[in-house]
Amino acid sequence: MGRRSSRKGRDVSGILLLDKPAGLSSNQALQRVRFMFDARKGGHTGSLDPIATGMLPLCLGEATKFSGYLLDSDKRYRVVAALGSRTETGDREGAVIDRRPVPEITRSQVQELLDEHFTGDIEQMPPMYSALKRDGVPLYKYARRGEEVEREKRTVCIHEAQVTSVGDGMLGMEISCSKGTYIRTLVEDLGELLGCGAHVSELRRVAVGPYRESAMLTVEALESALETGGTDALDGFLLPVDSSVEHWPGVDLSAICTEFVRKGQSVRVPDLPEAGPVRLRGLSDDNERFFLGIGEVLGDGRVAPRRLVRLG
């Protein structure tokens, strides 16, 4: 089946795990994939810097309603830090603003610093070259004008930080962290503790929430599938809309309750889990289970709809 072209695009829904190449912004990667899928609607779940590669979950169609849950998810990165210099941007794309000799360091010495200073809850100062906004203007726009504005430190959580290599002025690490963590800031702060400064040379995201590296697809693989099998082949790569919340408790609704929930009404269901968010599974006229959306257990024997999908 050849590529279908239409001004509005197709109503296709699902999550694609893109292995973003270096050199593309997250939005450029999204628009490239949307064009291939001829998708009416799409969004990404948290930006990766242009120099970064790796996992960029793209939500198409109804999946965009759940992108926020991936934005809030934990992430895992592999990073290579260049020791001995700091740059304007905190990565290799920025101009060097400071050079210092690199001391003799061992893997165990660096690991001790990570364990002591970069594990658990830590405070980070957001970099000026970031998409955070001040008075409605992204910080990087101030930075490009040579301006520095006041920022507040933010608390993030580093679940795990492991040294993977040390040598030739480079330092490799693997870091598992909460949302909002700036790897560039962590690298710069570590460089200061080492006394030589540091910046990010390579950065790759290998996990977002429940998704792992093995499930990613490159742009080249998508283009090849489109060429040989059309959009039908591409659709086969999409993960289910609810895959981002599949670890949540599920609540099965009767056919009658399904109709009430579709109308925005809360319903009473036996044997509900504890109060909190749940996946709602409706019952069709054909007696088939399907993902209805996100609900919330209210604690009084009822579950209320919070965000529903419209599929089919």
Side-chain angles (χ1 to χ4, degrees):
M1 179 178 177
R3 186 188 315 178
R4 177 184 166 190
S5 177
S6 62
R7 191 163 73 173
K8 291 185 177 180
R10 298 190 302 140
D11 285 320
V12 56
S13 294
I15 296 174
L16 181 85
L17 301 183
L18 181 70
D19 187 348
K20 188 190 83 66
L24 284 184
S25 70
S26 294
N27 188 60
Q28 287 172 331
L30 168 65
Q31 298 310 323
R32 193 163 171 179
V33 169
R34 276 190 65 191
F35 178 78
M36 283 190 279
F37 274 83
D38 190 24
R40 182 191 299 264
K41 185 178 181 182
H44 62 73
T45 56
S47 296
L48 277 177
D49 293 338
I51 73 160
T53 66
M55 186 172 291
L56 182 65
L58 300 178
C59 296
L60 302 181
E62 290 293 285
T64 59
K65 294 180 178 179
F66 307 99
S67 60
Y69 301 112
L70 289 174
L71 284 169
D72 292 340
S73 295
D74 291 340
K75 316 291 193 299
R76 192 170 189 88
Y77 297 89
R78 294 194 192 109
V79 58
V80 176
L83 304 177
S85 60
R86 293 191 304 117
T87 69
E88 284 183 330
T89 59
D91 59 35
R92 69 170 187 260
E93 292 196 325
V96 174
I97 57 176
D98 178 34
R99 292 188 187 276
R100 281 175 271 174
V102 179
E104 290 289 333
I105 57 174
T106 65
R107 187 165 173 166
S108 61
Q109 288 173 333
V110 179
Q111 189 62 57
E112 286 179 9
L113 288 176
L114 290 176
D115 293 342
E116 182 178 355
H117 298 280
F118 302 100
T119 302
D121 290 340
I122 66 170
E123 287 194 331
Q124 286 191 327
M125 179 67 74
M128 280 300 301
Y129 280 89
S130 68
L132 284 180
K133 292 184 178 181
R134 172 72 180 271
D135 298 328
V137 179
L139 291 180
Y140 65 80
K141 290 192 175 182
Y142 291 106
R144 287 171 181 170
R145 297 199 296 259
E147 302 175 30
E148 183 156 345
V149 300
E150 187 176 342
R151 293 102 69 205
E152 292 185 359
K153 287 187 175 182
R154 306 196 311 179
T155 300
V156 298
C157 184
I158 308 299
H159 305 300
E160 183 182 20
Q162 293 291 325
V163 180
T164 56
S165 63
V166 176
D168 298 324
M170 309 298 279
L171 170 63
M173 295 176 288
E174 188 153 333
I175 298 165
S176 177
C177 56
S178 69
K179 71 169 184 176
T181 301
Y182 285 97
I183 303 300
R184 284 176 294 154
T185 299
L186 187 153
V187 165
E188 288 185 312
D189 291 346
L190 177 60
E192 292 307 303
L193 287 177
L194 291 170
C196 59
H199 65 270
V200 171
S201 176
E202 299 176 23
L203 182 63
R204 181 169 177 79
R205 189 158 68 190
V206 295
V208 174
Y211 304 128
R212 295 297 177 263
E213 186 176 20
S214 59
M216 291 191 295
L217 292 155
T218 64
V219 170
E220 292 77 16
L222 294 173
E223 289 175 337
S224 177
L226 178 63
E227 182 68 26
T228 58
T231 52
D232 283 350
L234 292 182
D235 292 351
F237 293 133
L238 292 176
L239 299 176
V241 169
D242 63 332
S243 59
S244 62
V245 293
E246 64 183 4
H247 56 290
W248 289 9
V251 172
D252 289 341
L253 302 175
S254 66
I256 294 176
C257 286
T258 298
E259 291 307 311
F260 279 123
V261 165
R262 276 179 159 163
K263 295 175 182 177
Q265 300 178 33
S266 60
V267 294
R268 201 167 291 279
V269 180
D271 301 322
L272 284 173
E274 295 181 0
V278 291
R279 288 178 296 124
L280 299 177
R281 294 191 291 250
L283 190 64
S284 70
D285 294 338
D286 298 329
N287 211 35
E288 295 288 338
R289 286 286 172 203
F290 63 94
F291 177 58
L292 183 58
I294 297 302
E296 182 180 1
V297 176
L298 302 179
D300 60 357
R302 293 180 303 134
V303 61
R306 290 293 179 256
R307 187 162 298 177
L308 304 182
V309 298
R310 298 180 183 278
L311 298 175

